Amino acid sequence: MTVEPEQISHQIVVDRLWKVFGNNPSSALEAENAGKSRAEIQSEFDQVVALRDVSFHVEKGETFVVMGLSGSGKSTLVRCLSRLIETTSGHIYVDLEDVTSLDDKSLREFRRSKVSMVFQNFGLLPHRNVMDNACYGLEIKGLSRTERYERAQRMLDLVGLNGWETSKVSQLSGGMQQRVGLARALAVEPEILLLDEPFSGLDPLIRRQMRSELAVLQKEIQKTMVFITHDLDEAVTVGDRIAIMRDGEIIQMGTPEEIILNPVDDFVAEFTEDVSKDRVLNASSISVTPDLIWSYSHDLNSLKNKMDEVKAGHIAFVNESGASLGVLTGSDVEHIASMEELDRMLGESTDTMMYSSNVKPAISKLANSSTPIPVVDSDNNLLGVITQASILNALSE
Amino acid sequence: MSAPDREISAPDREIINSEKGASPRINQSLKKFYFPFVVILGAIVLSLMIHGSGFELALDFPVDVSNEMEGALDDSVDWIVITFGDFFDAISDSIKVVLGKLRDLLIWIPWPIMMSLVFIIGWKVASLKIAIMSVVGMTILALVNLWEPTMVTVAIMIVAVFLSIVIGVPVGVLAARSDSVDTGIRPVLDTMQTMPSFVYLVPGIMLFGLGNVAAIFATVLYALPPCIRLTNLGIRQVDPSVVEAGTSFGSSNMQLLFKIQIPMAIPTIMAGINQTVMMALAMSTIAAMVGAGGLGIEVLRAMGQLREGEAIIAGCAIVILAIIIDRISQGYIENRTQ
Ligand SMILES: Nc1ncnc2c1ncn2[C@@H]1O[C@H](COP(=O)(O)OP(=O)(O)OP(=O)(O)O)[C@@H](O)[C@H]1O
Ligand SMILES: [Mg+2]
């Protein structure tokens, strides 16, 4: 299902955003216009250009991941979105409202209702227990105690902290502390969730677990998210789109697949080198046209003749309307004597894959069997097949 | 760096240098070594010469403005006393009333009740061990017949510490939130802490007359700095990332202060209050000179009559009281920080 351009609701629009740290940003901007490099500006004027001309938009319900090396300006960017850091120039629109020009009161209101943030080092209040931490945003909003507790309890249940309400946060493990951070952010029911490397402080096993839990959670809550990470694996798991930053600039932006398959330059390529491609490849991107597509209604002999004629290694069977019935190898078909036997063989081989699903399961299946896997759309129409060769080709690219 | 310099690379320069003087590096370190000796020797020789020659101008500083300055300060204190006399009288009267009531109350409470109260507080706030130790200490105070003076000292201290907190914590908070306030009060605090404590007594007497109020005034001045300093420090030390998280949820400045900064600074603020209590106690003997009652006056009286045994016992009573208060408040701080 495609979305019409006018239906796209850009929840966040960032327009030519600049951020210069230092006491004289205009000198840095002038030097920037004169073509000086970031390092030159830093040494000559003692100004750090942390964001240079950053523009992007995030749609409602989308998870937008910002990636980049340390010091590339990711944290600065995400803090500018809720004005924890004042921008130097440029605009940020959230639901068409210019965040950069809000006065103090509207800014507080904006932070209380529209956005909440999850921090790398959790930022929990050590003098409060889990429940009162999760309540913080609601308390600031001025909700009554019972209402606060009720809403925070729901979020604590959601992140799996039921039973820990009265524990001190310092007694929890890192992973659990970040769950509290997540519950606190979700409790205010914000439209936008900003996450600055939320899982970087956790050890790898917990990190992976939290990451997939967040992906599941996101399906349920459907928040607009801006997710900062320096881990491409993480970016690919949670991100609908990824922006890659270097020295304060966005150098590439696109779906995980686009970025991994078509890096704009060596930097991005190097960045994405480590991620295994099977993470981003979907079934349709590696499917190929079957050697032979055969309408099931025809008789067996003409199938065998046609098969010999085109030297087909495999045959994809479809019904009159083009729906997939299964795929068999040429040698399977050679040995079939009757239509009943064909029915039985097709019945055994009916595993299909949706065009949008991840290729990982296909890899393990094809490792054990040479029978190609049919790829179908949501109406079960045959789009192509995945063969051993097509997987190897895609992975070796 | 000048232009020609830039053209010579660092290693080249080194070669040029070493060719010029005979090993300039050894020369350098010799100079460093000799320098203090030359200065000290020079100073001694010159001093001897001045004393030998009897050169007046160098022996006594030629100008003396001490009389003028002292006169000016005397006048300004007088002026303050005359102009704001009513104001200080009002303060003095209300403190006297409160202090009197508090002292009467403490003395009125029978000793078994008082000991039980201290035991319960010590136990709940610190630990059983500290509670028992406190009761033992109080028993000693009662045994040497110093119960009443102890209660008087405690009453003076409670009032002095209360005033110190009421003034000190808000000032500390202000200093933490504004760098200019911080730099402004820093020299004032330094002065308050290094000024010999007797010096506070005289303006105290002039403003409030002889007695407990002057003693409390001097005690508050003396005990205030740690409360201000540690409140300031405690709030400045609050993890900025927690404050940032608070801000990100739309907290106002007051919400940040009361929900995050002050609660997180409580252990440090408590350490400041603990120091304030200890300094107030140390001041109690000195304050006895301006007519404050309590243990201090016992010490002074015994010393004046050359009864050193009594003076030592009264002195030890102050120490015991200090230990009890210190242990209970330390225990409280430790329990809070855990
Ligand atoms: N308050 C500040 N004052 C001066 N320079 C700053 C400040 N905060 C960040 N910077 C500089 O801005 C640049 C971007 O910093 P930022 O924290 O946004 O990077 P990052 O991508 O989040 O890095 P990391 O992965 O280490 O968190 C860095 O060069 C940093 O030194
Ligand atoms: Mg960062």
Side-chain angles (χ1 to χ4, degrees), chain A residues 79 112 127 136 139 168, chain B residues 242 244 250-251 255 259 338:
Chain A
R79 277 167 176 73
R112 286 176 190 181
H127 56 284
Y136 186 80
E139 193 179 323
K168 276 191 174 178
Chain B
V242 180
E244 185 184 42
S251 313
Q255 284 171 325
K259 291 180 192 293
Q338 258 171 27

Side-chain angles (χ1 to χ4, degrees), chain A residues 79 84 108 111-112 115-117 119 121 123-128 136-137 139-140 168 184-185, chain B residues 239 241-242 244-253 255-256 259-260 263-264 335-338:
Chain A
R79 277 167 176 73
L84 290 171
R108 277 204 298 276
R111 287 172 178 161
R112 286 176 190 181
V115 291
S116 42
M117 190 156 169
F119 297 85
N121 42 15
L124 299 178
L125 311 176
H127 56 284
R128 293 177 167 216
Y136 186 80
E139 193 179 323
I140 291 303
K168 276 191 174 178
R184 176 177 68 175
Chain B
D239 187 350
S241 65
V242 180
E244 185 184 42
T247 312
S248 81
F249 283 95
S251 313
S252 64
N253 279 339
Q255 284 171 325
L256 281 183
K259 291 180 192 293
I260 296 182
M264 283 179 75
N335 287 345
R336 276 292 301 226
T337 26
Q338 258 171 27

Side-chain angles (χ1 to χ4, degrees), chain A residues 21 38 48 50 69-76 197 230:
Chain A
F21 284 111
R38 193 169 181 254
V48 181
L69 299 177
S70 192
S72 56
K74 310 180 296 290
S75 298
T76 308
E197 304 199 27
H230 56 237

